[in-house]
Amino acid sequence: MTDRSNLPIPRLSLWLTHAGMLAEQVWRAFWPFFSLAMAILAALMLGLQDHVGVEIVWSVSALAVLGLLVAAVWGIRRFHIPTRAEALVRLDETLPGRPIQALLDDQAIGAMDADSVALWHAHQTRMAQKASKAGVVKPDLRLASRDPYALRYAALLALVVAFFFGSFWRIGSVAEMTPGTATAGQGPTWEGWVEPPRYTGLPTLYLADQTDPTLSVPQGSRITLRFYGEVGAHTLTESASSTGIEAATEPEQDFVAERTGQLRIDGPAGRDWALNVIPDTRPQVAVSDIAEAEAGGQMKLPFTASDDYGVVSGSARIELDLASVDRRYGLTAEPELRETITVQLPMPITGDRTEFEEDLIEDFSQHPWAHLPVRITLSVRDASDQQSESEPYLTALPARRFFDPLASAVIEQRRDLLWARDNSGRVAQILRAVSHRPESLFRSETAYLRLRVLLRRLETFDEFGLKPEQQAEIAQALWDLAILIEEGTLADALERMRRAQERLTEAMQNGASDEEIADLMQELRDATQDYLRQLQRLAQENESDEGQPGQNGESLQMTQDDLQRMMDRIQELMEQGRMAEAQQALEEFQQMMENMRVTQGQGEGGQSEGQQAMEGLAETLREQQGLSDQAFRDLQEQFNPGAQAGENTGNEGRSGGQGRGQSHEGQGGQGQGADQQGGEGQQGQGTLADRQQALRDELSRQEQGLPGAGTEEGEAAREALGRAGRAMDEAEEALRSEDLAEAIDRQSEAMEALREGMRALGEAMAQNQQNQPGQGTQEGDMQANNRDPLGRNPGAAGSISTDENLLQGEDVYRRARELLDEIRRRTGETDRPKIELEYLKRLLERF
């Protein structure tokens, strides 16, 4: 047998492997003992024994000691000291071919054969070489199978927490907790803590560490004292609580510091402090700037708030300042009692709340007190439930402003109706007067119809006494009507652009805020872009009689860049407060838009499939408009039975347009006859229903041959036309049931859906043209005069370069800066074609 002590194995590897096996045995046998010891030590370091009674402490201590003994006995019984042979086996298991075991073996046969002996020695030499390369075997300290709940880690975590947040000195307090007497050889002692209110965020103070004779603590701090040793050895005297304590000897004392006073502990190692109680000040809040209405009508009220430890919440109370109300017209009656408006103040989500500034943003546009004098009182509350209020802020309640005179009048009558139900008769009279001659006042037949229906309901309610729920219903209807008049459902893009220009002019004249003007300016930009797209795609003639050019047939041609610069100039003048110059520039812009003609790209051959579809849909829209006009005149005849034919004719002239006369023909010319002959009213309505059905069938036929299938724009066009078809079906049903008001509403929906479908179809055609070079131009970016985007003429012989200088004019640097800003603006418009966005990004990277 080979001597184990002479094996060619690295001693360090064998020793470390042996030590690792010993660690395995210790950890596997004594992990319950170690875990229990760590848990007990963590509890003592954290001072948990100071929060329970003495009897509980000693009972738990006895159980802990017993548990430690059981765990130690259990570990000793399972513990086994690993031998050197076991360490060799552990090393041999990690080596290929078990070389250590081979070195320990002896030759069993062939010991007398020289060749066999030589072979055995060669084998032993090879095994010795392998054994000499043995490395350290890592111990297996995993205990997941023995401790499935990871109790050892929980105990270790508790010990780490106690190490950082506890103290070793607290362990000795267990020995001092012998009931009735002090520990032998140790005199009486004490300890105490000052715990500030949690909302202050201040740490707990240990009284024994406070060497300053004056102790400053926040108001509401809880002071806790514990006396150890013989009862009466220490006494407490304090005058900082609400009642005060005089020579108290109980082992445990606690009180809340409410006022400045003294704290004295008499006895061994006694101390004396002058308590300076820092009062918790009340929070403060105030309005920091004027209240104003944003572009959407929301009230914006800046305010500031502060508190020594942070504001918790706040609210705003809005009350009507009745003494400041101008009691004229509809406000002469006594107002109805209404609850005070209470809204919550916004608080910072993150950051410090000790001092901050925020904006209260709420929409009171539909409230009866909109634009009336009010008192706004802000209040805030801190964590100690202290509240403070600001000085009342007097202002007219900011709300949405209506620049259309008719919409403003409707909103005024709505306010009068909500002011007092007794105003219902007066409101009905004013609304009837407003709608008496609608020709020059109403731009939308739908708005006029809604007003008449609303007026009829108001008069009916007023006849039997207006109830609160009926008052709310009429008020909501008046609000919807004002929104319809203000924003409008305009017939085409040209009218929408003119309307945006008028609203912007009225806003400048009436002194609107910067936010309102910016919102209206953006509306003008969108309307102008829509107008240009309609001119390019549909090639419609200008329906206005005031906008024909008078310069020997020559028309003004402009690019979208030119229009963009003009609108930027107008906005710049308004931002600088130069309203007169801005209004003059806006008038010039209106005149140019009236005289402008966008040149269309000339295609080869006849009309394409998309152009034919667009013309067909345009004709369908004109036919639907004619049917809606006829239904409106029939309904108007119901409201005004004595109306003359001349009045109807005047209304037709007002609401007519392209194709109106054609849409009323084809039925034997009974357009006026149906109005004049009362006995044929039923027949006229039946004729309208039949024409509506025929128009629906024509739309179904047009949907079948619609181009752009498979594209996003083409599918959007089909979806819009589908909605138009469903609205036509509902209009036909309403006409057959003699419900003209419902029919007109459904016809309006059908016309709006038709416009959306035509717009989506036009975008699909434009996208198709962009994908096919040479088949058209992009929307307004390049004109028929072949100028480049910078307004320069191209070079000769088809060259893309030019002989003209890029920077022309007096202020070339300003022009360069404007071009760079324009490129950046267009780069941010994600709806532009991808190829254009990539080109713009390359320009920014280069310049």
Side-chain angles (χ1 to χ4, degrees):
M1 182 67 96
T2 304
D3 187 4
R4 297 176 182 269
S5 61
N6 295 327
L7 293 175
I9 302 173
R11 294 181 178 274
L12 181 61
S13 298
L14 181 60
W15 185 83
L16 291 178
T17 301
H18 194 189
M21 295 177 64
L22 180 62
E24 286 182 11
Q25 290 295 322
V26 172
W27 185 235
R28 292 177 181 178
F30 292 100
W31 73 265
F33 178 83
F34 295 147
S35 301
L36 184 59
M38 288 188 295
I40 294 173
L41 185 61
L44 294 176
M45 292 175 63
L46 290 174
L48 299 182
Q49 69 275 11
D50 298 333
H51 299 279
V52 295
V54 176
E55 293 77 9
I56 297 177
V57 171
W58 287 105
S59 299
V60 174
S61 300
L63 292 176
V65 172
L66 180 61
L68 288 174
L69 290 176
V70 172
V73 172
W74 185 83
I76 292 172
R77 294 185 60 183
R78 296 178 62 88
F79 179 70
H80 166 68
I81 299 177
T83 63
R84 186 174 184 274
E86 292 174 346
L88 290 173
V89 173
R90 175 71 64 88
L91 278 175
D92 198 23
E93 291 175 349
T94 62
L95 298 174
R98 306 291 294 272
I100 298 178
Q101 183 62 42
L103 293 174
L104 295 176
D105 292 341
D106 294 330
Q107 185 176 4
I109 58 176
M112 304 305 294
D113 186 3
D115 293 336
S116 178
V117 171
L119 180 62
W120 174 256
H121 284 306
H123 173 66
Q124 291 282 63
T125 302
R126 190 164 53 250
M127 293 297 104
Q129 292 176 355
K130 291 184 178 182
S132 63
K133 298 178 181 179
V136 180
V137 181
K138 296 181 180 179
D140 184 10
L141 301 179
R142 292 175 296 180
L143 296 177
S145 59
R146 294 175 171 82
D147 183 17
Y149 298 105
L151 299 178
R152 62 193 186 281
Y153 293 128
L156 179 61
L157 176 62
L159 183 61
V160 172
V161 172
F163 177 78
F164 285 103
F165 300 100
S167 172
F168 283 104
W169 300 107
R170 292 188 176 182
I171 300 177
S173 64
V174 177
E176 300 172 0
M177 297 179 68
T178 303
T181 60
T183 304
Q186 184 176 2
T189 185
W190 62 271
E191 62 179 348
W193 303 268
V194 179
E195 299 179 26
R198 183 171 298 178
Y199 62 83
T200 62
L202 299 176
T204 300
L205 301 178
Y206 191 60
L207 280 178
D209 296 337
Q210 308 304 313
T211 58
D212 197 327
T214 301
L215 184 61
S216 298
V217 297
Q219 185 178 9
S221 298
R222 179 171 293 277
I223 300 178
T224 304
L225 293 169
R226 285 195 175 93
F227 299 150
Y228 306 115
E230 184 179 356
V231 176
H234 291 91
T235 59
L236 168 66
T237 302
E238 59 86 13
S239 59
S241 64
S242 56
T243 57
I245 299 176
E246 184 70 27
T249 60
E250 288 79 3
E252 293 190 10
Q253 301 283 340
D254 67 327
F255 62 92
V256 178
E258 299 289 348
R259 58 188 178 182
T260 299
Q262 292 293 124
L263 171 61
R264 186 176 72 253
I265 300 175
D266 298 320
R271 298 285 297 277
D272 187 5
W273 292 278
L275 282 181
N276 178 28
V277 176
I278 304 174
D280 186 356
T281 60
R282 303 176 69 87
Q284 302 294 324
V285 62
V287 176
S288 60
D289 204 347
I290 62 173
E292 58 183 3
E294 293 189 329
Q298 301 92 341
M299 180 193 73
K300 178 181 179 182
L301 179 64
F303 69 93
T304 58
S306 61
D307 185 65
D308 45 5
Y309 299 115
V311 178
V312 175
S313 62
S315 62
R317 186 176 69 254
I318 304 177
E319 302 171 301
L320 179 65
D321 187 8
L322 189 59
S324 302
V325 176
D326 187 5
R327 304 292 295 275
R328 295 188 298 171
Y329 309 119
L331 304 181
T332 57
E334 286 300 318
E336 298 179 1
L337 295 179
R338 295 192 178 275
E339 296 182 357
T340 300
I341 304 175
T342 302
V343 294
Q344 296 298 317
L345 293 178
M347 296 286 116
I349 300 177
T350 60
D352 190 13
R353 291 191 181 184
T354 56
E355 185 174 0
F356 61 91
E357 183 174 356
E358 282 286 345
D359 295 330
L360 172 61
I361 299 178
E362 292 288 341
D363 191 357
F364 299 111
S365 299
Q366 298 191 48
H367 197 274
W369 297 344
H371 299 295
L372 292 180
V374 294
R375 290 190 302 271
I376 303 179
T377 305
L378 307 181
S379 63
V380 290
R381 182 175 62 87
D382 62 8
S384 60
D385 208 24
Q386 297 184 106
Q387 292 187 357
S388 295
E389 291 187 350
S390 66
E391 292 293 330
Y393 176 69
L394 304 179
T395 182
L397 186 61
R400 174 170 180 167
R401 299 179 61 182
F402 289 82
F403 298 102
D404 187 284
L406 179 58
S408 179
V410 171
I411 287 298
E412 182 179 354
Q413 297 312 305
R414 176 183 180 273
R415 181 204 63 188
D416 294 347
L417 181 63
L418 291 174
W419 180 265
R421 290 197 299 272
D422 295 339
N423 287 332
S424 58
R426 178 181 179 275
V427 171
Q429 291 179 354
I430 295 178
L431 293 179
R432 178 167 290 278
V434 168
S435 61
H436 177 59
R437 291 185 178 276
E439 291 80 8
S440 61
L441 190 59
F442 286 86
R443 294 182 175 86
S444 170
E445 292 84 354
T446 303
Y448 172 72
L449 177 61
R450 286 191 181 183
L451 177 60
R452 297 295 296 182
V453 173
L454 187 153
L455 176 59
R456 195 169 184 176
R457 291 181 62 82
L458 178 58
E459 291 176 342
T460 302
F461 291 155
D462 183 59
E463 183 178 354
F464 297 98
L466 188 65
K467 297 180 175 57
E469 57 272 13
Q470 296 170 345
Q471 179 190 30
E473 175 188 346
I474 296 298
Q476 184 61 44
L478 286 171
W479 175 265
D480 296 337
L481 176 62
I483 294 295
L484 175 63
I485 297 173
E486 177 76 8
E487 296 181 352
T489 54
L490 303 177
D492 50 37
L494 176 61
E495 184 65 21
R496 178 171 173 237
M497 184 187 65
R498 290 173 178 168
R499 183 67 185 131
Q501 294 169 353
E502 293 176 3
R503 292 184 63 192
L504 183 58
T505 302
E506 293 170 358
M508 288 191 293
Q509 294 175 350
N510 296 334
S513 64
D514 294 340
E515 290 80 2
E516 292 170 332
I517 290 181
D519 187 59
L520 293 174
M521 193 67 200
Q522 185 60 41
E523 180 182 346
L524 176 59
R525 294 177 189 269
D526 296 339
T528 304
Q529 295 293 334
D530 189 25
Y531 173 53
L532 293 175
R533 284 194 294 266
Q534 293 295 334
L535 285 176
Q536 288 179 318
R537 295 171 185 168
L538 305 181
Q540 293 178 338
E541 297 181 357
N542 195 332
E543 296 179 357
S544 173
D545 294 333
E546 301 175 358
Q548 298 300 328
Q551 301 174 357
N552 299 326
E554 296 181 0
S555 60
L556 180 63
Q557 296 182 351
M558 302 181 67
T559 64
Q560 283 188 341
D561 290 340
D562 298 330
L563 298 177
Q564 185 67 41
R565 284 193 294 271
M566 291 187 65
M567 288 187 286
D568 290 343
R569 178 58 177 169
I570 294 173
Q571 186 169 4
E572 181 181 355
L573 290 173
M574 290 188 295
E575 291 174 353
Q576 295 176 357
R578 299 155 65 180
M579 291 301 176
E581 299 180 32
Q583 188 169 356
Q584 182 180 359
L586 181 59
E587 292 176 357
E588 295 176 357
F589 174 78
Q590 293 173 350
Q591 183 178 3
M592 290 182 180
M593 291 302 299
E594 293 290 345
N595 296 333
M596 187 182 67
R597 183 184 68 192
V598 178
T599 305
Q600 296 290 315
Q602 301 296 329
E604 296 180 1
Q607 288 184 331
S608 65
E609 181 183 1
Q611 292 173 339
Q612 293 176 0
M614 290 292 287
E615 289 189 0
L617 291 176
E619 181 63 25
T620 302
L621 178 60
R622 287 193 291 268
E623 290 287 343
Q624 184 62 78
Q625 183 67 61
L627 287 176
S628 180
D629 292 345
Q630 182 64 52
F632 175 78
R633 282 191 292 273
D634 292 345
L635 184 64
Q636 195 175 29
E637 177 64 19
Q638 291 182 3
F639 279 106
N640 300 300
Q644 300 297 326
E647 182 178 349
N648 293 336
T649 304
N651 185 57
E652 179 180 358
R654 176 185 59 82
S655 60
Q658 294 184 16
R660 297 294 188 267
Q662 297 176 4
S663 65
H664 297 159
E665 296 175 359
Q667 300 297 333
Q670 286 103 351
Q672 294 179 355
D675 294 338
Q676 295 174 356
Q677 300 175 9
E680 296 179 8
Q682 182 68 25
Q683 179 181 359
Q685 293 180 14
T687 301
L688 286 177
D690 294 339
R691 291 166 59 189
Q692 184 67 70
Q693 181 181 5
L695 193 60
R696 174 66 176 95
D697 296 339
E698 176 63 19
L699 180 62
S700 299
R701 184 191 65 79
Q702 293 172 349
E703 286 182 83
Q704 296 177 359
L706 201 65
T711 64
E712 182 179 356
E713 294 82 3
E715 294 302 324
R718 284 171 170 78
E719 194 274 337
L721 295 182
R723 287 190 284 108
R726 291 189 292 272
M728 288 182 179
D729 291 336
E730 295 174 359
E732 178 192 349
E733 294 177 2
L735 287 172
R736 295 194 186 281
S737 60
E738 302 181 16
D739 190 355
L740 291 177
E742 179 67 15
I744 293 176
D745 287 340
R746 302 289 78 78
Q747 288 171 342
S748 298
E749 293 179 4
M751 289 186 289
E752 185 63 26
L754 280 172
R755 295 189 185 98
E756 293 181 8
M758 294 172 65
R759 187 181 302 111
L761 181 59
E763 292 175 354
M765 294 171 59
Q767 185 69 25
N768 185 34
Q769 290 175 356
Q770 292 176 3
N771 296 334
Q772 299 178 2
Q775 298 299 321
T777 60
Q778 294 184 358
E779 297 178 2
D781 291 338
M782 298 292 292
Q783 299 297 323
N785 57 7
N786 292 329
R787 291 191 300 170
D788 66 5
L790 300 179
R792 302 172 300 174
N793 294 321
S799 173
I800 61 175
S801 61
T802 177
D803 297 333
E804 298 181 13
N805 189 8
L806 173 63
L807 299 177
Q808 303 176 9
E810 298 178 357
D811 192 355
V812 294
Y813 298 102
R814 182 183 61 82
R815 175 60 177 158
R817 185 171 59 255
E818 290 177 353
L819 288 174
L820 187 58
D821 293 341
E822 177 64 17
I823 293 175
R824 289 171 178 166
R825 185 188 66 80
R826 294 193 180 190
T827 305
E829 297 177 356
T830 57
D831 56 343
R832 289 183 173 270
K834 184 178 180 180
I835 186 174
E836 181 181 352
L837 291 176
E838 293 177 353
Y839 172 70
L840 293 174
K841 290 180 180 178
R842 289 197 299 270
L843 287 178
L844 287 178
E845 292 173 358
R846 182 173 181 181
F847 298 104

